Amino acid sequence: MSETIKTHPELAEIFNKDEERVDWHDETLWWIRQKRDKSAHSIPEWEQLRETASQIKNNVLSDLANYLLAFEKNAKANGIIVHWAANAEEHNQQVHSILKVHGIQQMVKSKSMLTEECHLNEYLEKHGMDVIDSDLGERIVQLAKEPPSHIVLPCIHKKKEEIGDLFHIHLGSPAGTSDPQVLTETARQHLRETFLTRKAALTGVNFAIAATGEFVVCTNEGNADMGAHLADVHIASMGIEKIIPDRKHLGVFLRLLTRSATGQPITTYSSHFKKPRKGQEMHIIIVDNGRTIQMGREDFRASLKCIRCGACMNTCPVYRRSGGHSYHNAISGPIGAILAPNLDMKKYADLPFASTLCGSCSNVCPVKIDIHQQLYKWRQVIVKEGYADTSKKLGMQLMTFTLSSPTVYRTAGKAGRWVLKHIPFAVNNQFNPWYKHRDMPEAPAESFGEWYKKNVTDK
Amino acid sequence: MSKEKILAALRHNQPEISALPVNLAFERDESINLVEKFRVIAEGIGSKVYVVAGLEEVAALIAADFPEAKRVLSTVAEVVSSAIPAFELHEDPHTYADVDIAIFKPRLAVAENSALWITEDRMGVRALPFITQHIIMLVDKNTLVPDMHAAYEKIGDTDYGFSTFIAGPSKTADIEQSLVLGAHGPRSMTIFMH
């Protein structure tokens, strides 16, 4: 393919043009991170919960083939139709063919990051199907023809005035409306009409229980339930890693999920779908799309433990200041940066570098994924495989040269101090990426080595 | 075809078996007043809670709180009256689109998050707790459990077609993180604890 993909730094630069918005984005997400802390700290057994969740997920990954078979068997016994899809294309075809069989051309869809990953909407639209996203945030970005910028807060990058404009154009609300209450009511009326007229509903899956063949969908808005319970056909799409062994394990995960995500004690709705209702058809599509490959990468398989809470994004200093779209992947942020290179190492070679490796992501992860260590490991893989960009490679080579010779090191240090002192404009300019959004430091009069030689006389 | 491919790839790539944690018992403060804990959390997420002596108090409070409600229905026989008709089953869930108030009796109430566990047999139809403009829950204090672990212990392996935990009115904060109650489901939740 000849399409040029903008890298994380290039896209972040676009986002950073509006400094005020960056500050707002940064502060809003940090506020959510603080709500998460408050919520987590109110549970004395929090760390034990995280450890237990991590162990359950480790067990699931180690025996996933058997769990999936058990889940399929039990779901079928419950009257659910089960499909398997090796990749995005096959998943999209399966959704399309289910709709075709029923002669349905319009579908309502609740939040499913998997369908974003598979680009289901584009696929169905190309085949003449109409899809309406029912999660408010997702509907907003759908109207704006943008992908979600956050897995839990899809339009966190948008200001209410922009949303008012979108609703004015697409939903006919009065111009200049920006009150969230009024805008939400507008969407409620518009989507209620959608729920009442759609014959097919697609939902995601938060957890699939191997022992019972049921699946759990969590929402605050009630949109998954409104769609599913009113439609003749319910399709649920799930990645293979959504399995948990028993119902009782939900106790652990439902306690962690929203406290980690937004600081809420639980989502408004945690719906357990076990059997289709009378006269309804219920489908589950179990999707691989690269997950079995990630399973084979020993250093990165733990990324499959993710329960999509978004805590790593909210806490990440790079995500907060670069925005979700700069990751050019359905899943953004630190977790997206370790999932994406598995799908396409060349296209996403930039993402593991979009991190300070501060480790905050790993500290808040409710299932204890070693996110920052994986980011560091991906960098090594990407450089070794030859996908690192040229300036990075040159920089590294220059650094190696400088650090391996004491003479070169001392000379380079001296030169640097001289430049900063006498001709600061040589580095305080747009050609120096470090200078963007920063001032260069004042040059010290001498290096530590020089100071030491002068002041410490006894050898 | 894809099924076999996925399973074969997994069997090849899965790590060595790692044991499931057997102990799901977590420390619990047994001195907590569950009614009080439930009430504080429920109000914190936007529910209205009445602690009542008996269900005979309910009708008057509903009439006072929802003077404009037109279509009210109850799936709970104890509170049915001339003002509160009993739920009647229609096959097509769309016929409940104009319900203003629906009354239910959940099976469990969880103190730590105010979630109410309600199985399909207590919903009338699955769509009803979601499509109604306002939802009313009659919660027996004896169904209170401290946390989600205790809830799932009670739930065990009961069979149901559909069941859900509901905690508060439907809500969203998708627009600039401003909390708005009444996203797609009920605009309010009223809980009568007896």
Side-chain angles (χ1 to χ4, degrees), chain A residues 233-246:
Chain A
V233 181
H234 176 186
I235 304 168
S237 297
M238 61 175 268
I240 53 171
E241 80 283 19
K242 293 288 166 184
I243 291 280
I244 60 173
D246 295 306

Side-chain angles (χ1 to χ4, degrees), chain A residues 149-352:
Chain A
S149 69
H150 187 292
I151 59 174
V152 176
L153 322 157
C155 68
I156 191 68
H157 60 292
K158 283 230 174 300
K159 303 292 285 182
K160 57 190 178 198
E161 291 77 14
E162 296 169 293
I163 296 164
D165 290 346
L166 281 169
F167 281 15
H168 174 62
I169 296 166
H170 298 280
L171 307 181
S173 61
T177 315
S178 63
D179 178 352
Q181 185 91 38
V182 177
L183 292 171
T184 303
E185 184 62 30
T186 306
R188 177 183 170 98
Q189 301 301 342
H190 152 67
L191 286 163
R192 188 158 263 257
E193 167 63 25
T194 306
F195 290 127
L196 289 170
T197 51
R198 293 306 183 267
K199 302 257 180 273
L202 189 144
T203 68
V205 169
N206 288 90
F207 305 99
I209 319 297
T212 60
E214 72 196 295
F215 58 94
V216 176
V217 183
C218 304
T219 74
N220 280 321
E221 298 182 8
N223 56 317
D225 289 281
M226 280 292 275
H229 303 317
L230 290 168
D232 300 335
V233 181
H234 176 186
I235 304 168
S237 297
M238 61 175 268
I240 53 171
E241 80 283 19
K242 293 288 166 184
I243 291 280
I244 60 173
D246 295 306
R247 247 185 215 163
K248 66 179 178 198
H249 296 126
L250 285 168
V252 175
F253 290 103
L254 292 181
R255 293 187 80 192
L256 286 165
L257 179 61
T258 34
R259 286 189 175 98
S260 300
T262 58
Q264 287 173 255
I266 190 167
T267 43
T268 307
Y269 305 104
S270 310
S271 291
H272 298 46
F273 293 86
K274 190 154 182 262
K275 300 168 189 171
R277 67 167 199 276
K278 206 177 143 219
Q280 187 195 37
E281 220 176 85
M282 195 181 272
H283 297 261
I284 290 177
I285 307 178
I286 301 172
V287 185
D288 178 354
N289 205 35
R291 287 161 176 76
T292 52
I293 299 171
Q294 188 85 324
M295 183 72 99
R297 301 185 200 268
E298 201 185 331
D299 284 341
F300 307 111
R301 71 163 64 104
S303 61
L304 296 171
K305 291 159 74 178
C306 175
I307 57 171
R308 304 289 191 266
C309 71
C312 60
M313 304 175 184
N314 304 342
T315 200
C316 177
V318 175
Y319 175 88
R320 281 188 276 120
R321 297 204 142 266
S322 60
H325 287 158
S326 61
Y327 294 79
H328 57 95
N329 181 45
I331 310 222
S332 55
I335 184 70
I338 58 177
L339 290 172
N342 173 58
L343 294 172
D344 187 337
M345 214 182 285
K346 184 162 181 262
K347 185 173 169 190
Y348 299 115
D350 54 324
L351 293 189

Side-chain angles (χ1 to χ4, degrees), chain A residues 24 28 31-32 35 43 45 48-49 52 55-56 58-59 61-69 72 84-86 90 134-138 140 152-156 158-161 163 180-181 183-185 187-189 191-192 195-197 214 220-223 225-226 229-230 240 245-252 254-255 259 264-278 280 282 286 288 292-293 295-296 301, chain B residues 1-29 37 41 45 91-99 110 112-117 120 123 125-135 146-150 152-153 155-187 189:
Chain A
W24 173 79
T28 308
W31 176 64
I32 298 167
K35 288 202 294 183
I43 308 276
E45 64 274 28
Q48 195 194 342
L49 271 176
T52 308
Q55 285 177 19
I56 295 170
N58 285 338
N59 167 264
L61 294 189
S62 74
D63 204 9
L64 190 51
N66 286 331
Y67 280 130
L68 283 167
L69 280 172
E72 180 193 40
W84 299 72
E90 193 178 3
S134 60
D135 173 86
L136 177 58
E138 291 238 308
I140 290 165
V152 176
L153 322 157
C155 68
I156 191 68
K158 283 230 174 300
K159 303 292 285 182
K160 57 190 178 198
E161 291 77 14
I163 296 164
Q181 185 91 38
L183 292 171
T184 303
E185 184 62 30
R188 177 183 170 98
Q189 301 301 342
L191 286 163
R192 188 158 263 257
F195 290 127
L196 289 170
T197 51
E214 72 196 295
N220 280 321
E221 298 182 8
N223 56 317
D225 289 281
M226 280 292 275
H229 303 317
L230 290 168
I240 53 171
D246 295 306
R247 247 185 215 163
K248 66 179 178 198
H249 296 126
L250 285 168
V252 175
L254 292 181
R255 293 187 80 192
R259 286 189 175 98
Q264 287 173 255
I266 190 167
T267 43
T268 307
Y269 305 104
S270 310
S271 291
H272 298 46
F273 293 86
K274 190 154 182 262
K275 300 168 189 171
R277 67 167 199 276
K278 206 177 143 219
Q280 187 195 37
M282 195 181 272
I286 301 172
D288 178 354
T292 52
I293 299 171
M295 183 72 99
R301 71 163 64 104
Chain B
M1 219 73 82
S2 290
K3 176 181 165 182
E4 277 64 45
K5 242 171 55 190
I6 293 168
L7 293 173
L10 281 177
R11 293 199 194 285
H12 186 258
N13 290 342
Q14 278 169 190
E16 295 233 327
I17 282 285
S18 156
L20 254 186
V22 276
N23 180 19
L24 292 186
F26 295 88
E27 243 177 88
R28 196 178 277 156
D29 182 354
K37 172 91 182 174
I41 300 280
I45 59 175
E91 284 282 294
D92 180 6
H94 294 80
T95 55
Y96 300 96
D98 61 345
V99 171
V110 186
E112 71 160 325
N113 53 22
S114 82
L116 300 168
W117 174 250
E120 183 173 19
M123 291 179 190
V125 294
R126 290 184 188 184
L128 191 55
F130 307 95
I131 206 168
T132 180
Q133 295 288 333
H134 302 275
I135 187 168
D147 54 36
M148 294 299 282
H149 311 298
Y152 280 106
E153 242 167 70
I155 293 165
D157 52 9
T158 22
D159 192 29
Y160 45 73
F162 172 74
S163 191
T164 188
F165 279 106
I166 306 182
S170 86
K171 60 171 176 257
T172 181
D174 275 345
I175 301 175
E176 285 200 14
Q177 283 300 294
S178 307
L179 181 68
V180 178
L181 301 184
H184 304 301
R187 298 170 187 274
M189 176 184 269

Side-chain angles (χ1 to χ4, degrees), chain B residues 54-77:
Chain B
L55 290 179
E56 55 283 357
E57 294 175 36
V58 169
L61 289 166
I62 293 175
D65 281 357
F66 302 97
E68 273 152 43
K70 285 192 196 81
R71 190 171 176 198
V72 182
L73 49 84
S74 175
T75 63
V76 187

